[in-house]
Amino acid sequence: LICPQSRAITAPTLEDAIAEPVVIEKIERTWSARVTKKQACSCTGKESRDPASPFNGGNHIRGWTPMGVRFRRGAKCNGVLIHVDEEELKCFDVREAGYTRQRIELADIYRHVDSDISIDESMHLWPTDSKNVAGYDVSSFRDHVLEGVKCSECLLVLEKAYQKRRQSTGISRECDSSEGCEDFAVWVYVQSKNFPAERSFPITQSYVDIIMRGCLSISHEFARRFLETTHGWWHDGLMGEKDDAIDKEDEPTYDFDSIEGQNMEKHYTWINDRSAPMYVRADSEYSSKNGDEIDELIKEHHPHALQRRVTPI
C-alpha cells in the first residue's frame, strides 16, 4: 500500500491523494503472510498459461509469501499515512483479505525525516520536557518537524500523536479523549496467521519491486529505512527473542527439521520472478527499467539473502 499506483488500482479516488511518510513504534514488518497458488490464480480469474510462470511446469512452488507485520516491543517500521473515507476503507478491506485491520496507538506515530544514519538514531522522538533540542524549544521543535506536512488530516494525526506522548508523561494535559483525540483512527493490516517464507512459498521479486517503487517515490532514504527494518528475507529476525513479542501467539515459526538433510545451498526463500510475475499487481515495465537500482539498494542491507535469491526455471 506504500505504492501510489498500487493503491489507485484498489481505490481510484486516491490516485492524487497525499501520503505522509511516518515511522511507527511497536510494529515490525516481516515476510510472514501467505498466499496459495489457488488464491493467487483466483485473483486474475484464471490459471496462468504462461509457460515461464513459476506456477506452471509441475514444480514445487505452492504459493508465495507477501508482507506481514507484527506488534513487538522496541520495534519500528516506516510507512505512509493516507486519509480514506468509509467507502475507500471498505475497498482495502476486500483487497487485504486474510489480514485483519487493527488500530495503531496515536502516541506511536512519528513523522519520517530523511537521514543518512540508522532509524534508531535518527527518528525524531519528540521531547516531552522543556529542554531545548538542537537549538529549538519544545514548541518550536514540534513546529520544525511538522513543517511541510501537506495532508491536513495527517497533520492532525501527528499533532495529536505529539500531544498523546506529552500527556502520557504527565507533563501536559492539552489533549484528552473528551477533546477529540479519539474522533479518528489510524489502521494497519495484520495477517491472520504467520508463516515465514520458505522454498514452497517464497518471497517474489515482482512484489518487492512494487513496494520499492512506492518507497523510492518518497525518497531513497525512505527505501533504505524499509529495507533496514524489514525482517525475514532469510529467516532473519523471525526466530528467538520471543519475550519481545507483544502477542507471543503472533510469533512466526519455522521448522528447520523440514530441510534437514537438504543441501542448504539449494534451499531458498526468495525468487526473481520479474520475467514472469506471480504478483497480480506487478509492473513488468517498471521492474525491467529499475530492477538493477532496486537490487543495489537491497544488496546494501541484505547481501546474504540476495545471493540466495533464485530465478525459477
Side-chain angles (χ1 to χ4, degrees), residues 93-112:
D93 285 347
V94 172
R95 166 174 166 160
E96 301 302 320
Y99 295 75
T100 58
R101 180 158 45 90
Q102 298 190 28
R103 198 161 182 162
I104 297 174
E105 293 291 335
L106 292 182
D108 294 331
I109 303 172
Y110 300 80
R111 190 186 183 197
H112 164 87

Side-chain angles (χ1 to χ4, degrees), residues 28 70 72 235 237-245 251-253:
E28 185 172 76
R70 59 176 173 175
R72 185 175 182 180
H235 311 313
L238 293 177
M239 315 312 300
E241 301 180 294
K242 292 184 182 294
D243 289 341
D244 291 334
E251 281 288 314
T253 58

Side-chain angles (χ1 to χ4, degrees), residues 2-282:
I2 293 175
C3 179
Q5 292 81 4
S6 181
R7 290 196 304 269
I9 292 174
T10 302
T13 52
L14 294 177
E15 183 174 5
D16 298 319
I18 297 172
E20 180 63 34
V22 293
V23 174
I24 309 294
E25 284 195 301
K26 301 187 183 74
I27 289 182
E28 185 172 76
R29 187 181 279 115
T30 68
W31 294 106
S32 56
R34 178 159 292 184
V35 172
T36 66
K37 175 179 175 179
K38 182 177 181 180
Q39 289 171 323
C41 291
S42 67
C43 290
T44 62
K46 60 182 180 179
E47 293 278 349
S48 173
R49 299 302 179 188
D50 183 351
S53 171
F55 280 166
N56 292 321
N59 59 44
H60 61 276
I61 294 179
R62 298 163 52 201
W64 59 288
T65 298
M67 188 61 67
V69 299
R70 59 176 173 175
F71 290 95
R72 185 175 182 180
R73 284 185 289 272
K76 303 178 184 72
C77 75
N78 58 343
V80 294
L81 287 180
I82 309 158
H83 179 251
V84 298
D85 60 28
E86 289 298 324
E87 290 303 313
E88 291 163 341
L89 190 58
K90 289 178 183 177
C91 291
F92 286 110
D93 285 347
V94 172
R95 166 174 166 160
E96 301 302 320
Y99 295 75
T100 58
R101 180 158 45 90
Q102 298 190 28
R103 198 161 182 162
I104 297 174
E105 293 291 335
L106 292 182
D108 294 331
I109 303 172
Y110 300 80
R111 190 186 183 197
H112 164 87
V113 178
D114 273 352
S115 172
D116 59 0
I117 57 179
S118 72
I119 195 169
D120 286 326
E121 297 170 351
S122 66
M123 190 175 76
H124 283 265
L125 299 174
W126 294 348
T128 53
D129 55 29
S130 60
K131 295 179 181 178
N132 288 352
V133 178
Y136 299 94
D137 60 30
V138 170
S139 178
S140 297
F141 184 74
R142 176 190 62 189
D143 293 341
H144 171 68
V145 174
L146 291 179
E147 184 179 3
V149 176
K150 297 178 181 179
C151 167
S152 59
E153 294 84 3
C154 299
L155 180 60
L156 179 61
V157 169
L158 293 169
E159 282 276 16
K160 296 301 184 184
Y162 168 78
Q163 292 169 7
K164 280 285 190 180
R165 287 191 290 275
R166 283 177 60 79
Q167 183 188 19
S168 68
T169 64
I171 293 172
S172 171
R173 299 187 60 81
E174 56 188 299
C175 174
D176 59 36
S177 59
S178 65
E179 295 174 328
C181 282
E182 305 301 333
D183 289 346
F184 53 85
V186 179
W187 302 101
V188 62
Y189 287 99
V190 180
Q191 70 279 13
S192 301
K193 295 183 179 180
N194 296 275
F195 301 97
E198 46 109 339
R199 192 168 181 261
S200 295
F201 292 91
I203 300 163
T204 59
Q205 188 62 51
S206 59
Y207 180 71
V208 175
D209 288 350
I210 292 299
I211 298 174
M212 291 298 290
R213 181 181 189 177
C215 291
L216 289 167
S217 72
I218 297 169
S219 70
H220 274 72
E221 289 309 316
F222 188 88
R224 289 188 174 93
R225 295 281 178 86
F226 164 78
L227 293 169
E228 175 189 335
T229 58
T230 298
H231 301 275
W233 302 86
W234 175 248
H235 311 313
D236 63 300
L238 293 177
M239 315 312 300
E241 301 180 294
K242 292 184 182 294
D243 289 341
D244 291 334
I246 294 176
D247 184 349
K248 293 185 181 182
E249 291 184 359
D250 285 341
E251 281 288 314
T253 58
Y254 187 82
D255 182 9
F256 281 97
D257 291 339
S258 66
I259 58 173
E260 186 177 359
Q262 293 186 30
N263 183 342
M264 287 298 291
E265 294 301 317
K266 293 182 179 180
H267 182 74
Y268 55 84
T269 61
W270 185 2
I271 63 171
N272 184 355
D273 65 330
R274 283 171 175 153
S275 62
M278 295 169 63
Y279 182 47
V280 67
R281 285 177 282 272

Side-chain angles (χ1 to χ4, degrees), residues 276-288:
M278 295 169 63
Y279 182 47
V280 67
R281 285 177 282 272
D283 187 331
S284 296
E285 183 177 350
Y286 177 85
S287 292
S288 177

